[in-house]
C-alpha cells in the first residue's frame, strides 16, 4: 500500500499511544496549521514566502541548522515575516539513531544557529519535529526533560516524492479537518512544488471555512481545553 494511504492510519494509531506529542489541535474549532520541514532553501522557501504573504497566512517552519547556515538571508526573511520557527535537528538525521548526548548537541546547535542568524531568543525555540517522524518513548522523555515540545502531524501528503501539485492538494483536502497539522516540505526533497501547492491549497481550505494558525496556537488551544476540563 502506498505510504500516502498509510499515514492517516498511522496517525490514528499513534496519537492515543503518545499523547505527549502534538498530533493535531482541537476538533471544536475550524483551524488548521500549515507546517514546512527541511528548510530553509534559497529558492523554494523564498517562493513559498511570497505565497504566504499574498494570502497573509501564518505558518510554522521546522528548520535544519545546516540549511539556516546555507541560506541566512532567507531565514531572516521568514523570521521578519513573523512565521513560527521550530527545530528539526542540525542535520536531517534520525533521532532514534542518536545517543542522548548526540541528540542534545544537535538540537542545541540547531537552536544556536537560528538565534545567531535571526536574533531569535533561543529559549523560545521549543517545538521539535523529529526527521521522518521517527521517535521512541526514550526520545520523547529526553525532549521533555530538556523542555522541548514534540510536534508530529495529522496530514502527510508525501509531497517529497513529488507526485504532482494536484495530487498533493487532493490528498490534503481529503484528510483536512478541524485542528489538522499539515506537513509539507520546502527543502531539497519536495520543495520544488511547495509554492504552487500552497497557492492552490490556501483558497480551497479557506473556502471550507478554515482559518490558518501556527503550531503554538494549537498548543495554547489544548492548554485552554485542559483547563476547562
Amino acid at each position: 500500500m502506498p505510504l500516502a494511504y498509510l499515514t492517516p492510519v498511522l496517525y490514528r494509531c499513534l496519537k492515543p499511544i503518545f499523547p505527549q506529542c502534538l498530533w493535531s489541535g482541537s476538533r471544536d474549532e475550524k483551524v488548521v496549521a500549515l507546517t514546512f520541514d527541511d528548510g530553509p532553501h534559497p529558492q523554494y522557501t523564498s517562493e513559498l514566502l511570497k505565497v504566504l504573504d499574498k494570502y497573509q497566512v501564518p505558518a510554522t517552519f521546522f528548520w535544519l541548522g545546516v540549511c539556516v547556515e546555507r541560506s541566512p538571508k532567507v531565514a531572516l526573511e521568514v523570521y521578519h515575516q513573523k512565521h513560527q520557527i521550530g527545530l528539526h535537528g542540525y542535520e536531517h538525521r534520525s533521532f532514534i539513531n542518536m545517543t542522548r548526548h548526540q541528540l542534545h548537541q544537535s538540537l542545541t546547535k540547531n537552536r544556536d544557529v537560528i538565534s545567531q542568524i535571526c536574533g531569535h531568543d533561543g529559549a523560545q525555540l521549543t517545538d521539535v519535529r523529529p526527521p521522518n517522524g521517527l521517535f521512541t518513548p526514550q526520545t520523547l522523555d529526553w525532549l521533555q526533560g530538556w523542555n522541548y515540545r514534540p510536534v508530529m502531524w495529522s496530514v502527510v501528503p508525501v509531497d517529497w516524492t513529488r507526485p504532482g501539485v494536484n495530487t498533493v492538494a487532493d490528498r490534503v483536502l481529503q484528510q483536512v479537518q478541524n485542528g489538522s497539522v499539515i506537513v509539507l516540505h520546502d527543502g531539497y526533497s519536495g520543495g520544488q512544488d511547495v509554492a504552487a501547492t500552497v497557492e492552490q491549497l490556501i483558497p480551497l481550505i479557506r473556502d471550507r471555512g478554515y482559518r490558518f494558525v501556527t503550531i503554538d496556537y494549537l498548543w495554547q488551544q489544548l492548554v485552554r481545553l485542559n483547563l476547562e476540563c
Side-chain angles (χ1 to χ4, degrees):
M1 180 182 292
L3 181 58
Y5 296 99
L6 284 175
T7 53
V9 177
L10 288 172
Y11 159 68
R12 289 193 295 271
C13 293
L14 293 173
K15 182 181 178 181
I17 299 173
F18 298 103
Q20 62 269 57
C21 298
L22 180 72
W23 296 87
S24 60
S26 169
R27 292 286 182 257
D28 297 330
E29 188 177 356
K30 288 188 74 70
V31 296
V32 298
L34 273 179
T35 70
F36 301 94
D37 289 2
D38 298 354
H41 185 278
Q43 177 184 345
Y44 309 146
T45 305
S46 292
E47 294 170 348
L48 171 61
L49 285 175
K50 292 175 183 176
V51 178
L52 295 174
D53 183 59
K54 172 183 174 181
Y55 291 102
Q56 290 297 287
V57 166
T60 304
F61 290 81
F62 289 91
W63 278 349
L64 297 169
V66 67
C67 291
V68 176
E69 290 177 329
R70 291 171 184 161
S71 304
K73 291 182 179 179
V74 178
L76 270 172
E77 189 177 359
V78 173
Y79 179 65
H80 288 154
Q81 288 192 18
K82 302 187 184 303
H83 296 292
Q84 186 185 344
I85 299 167
L87 307 177
H88 205 41
Y90 178 71
E91 298 176 305
H92 200 276
R93 182 181 173 191
S94 176
F95 288 180
I96 65 175
N97 293 327
M98 294 188 192
T99 64
R100 184 179 187 276
H101 177 67
Q102 288 171 332
L103 179 55
H104 189 264
Q105 276 194 320
S106 176
L107 293 173
T108 299
K109 191 172 183 180
N110 191 181
R111 185 183 60 201
D112 289 348
V113 166
I114 295 169
S115 299
Q116 291 162 10
I117 288 176
C118 297
H120 197 297
D121 180 359
Q124 295 180 6
L125 294 167
T126 58
D127 286 323
V128 177
R129 175 175 283 152
N132 302 316
L134 298 177
F135 63 89
T136 65
Q138 179 69 81
T139 307
L140 297 183
D141 287 344
W142 292 342
L143 292 177
Q144 293 185 304
W146 301 324
N147 295 317
Y148 288 118
R149 302 187 300 189
V151 178
M152 299 304 291
W153 34 255
S154 57
V155 179
V156 186
V158 195
D159 61 321
W160 64 88
T161 63
R162 299 193 68 194
V165 170
N166 291 337
T167 297
V168 172
D170 287 344
R171 289 173 179 173
V172 172
L173 293 171
Q174 287 169 13
Q175 298 177 47
V176 73
Q177 56 186 305
N178 291 6
S180 285
V181 175
I182 302 166
V183 180
L184 296 169
H185 294 76
D186 62 326
Y188 286 92
S189 297
Q192 301 93 326
D193 300 325
V194 70
T197 300
V198 171
E199 176 80 55
Q200 185 174 138
L201 274 175
I202 290 174
L204 294 172
I205 290 176
R206 277 185 170 164
D207 284 346
R208 296 187 178 189
Y210 294 104
R211 179 166 60 91
F212 291 95
V213 299
T214 62
I215 287 297
D216 189 60
Y217 182 93
L218 296 185
W219 279 116
Q220 293 177 31
Q221 184 188 61
L222 294 180
V223 168
R224 290 194 299 269
L225 289 172
N226 288 334
L227 290 175
E228 292 171 1
C229 294

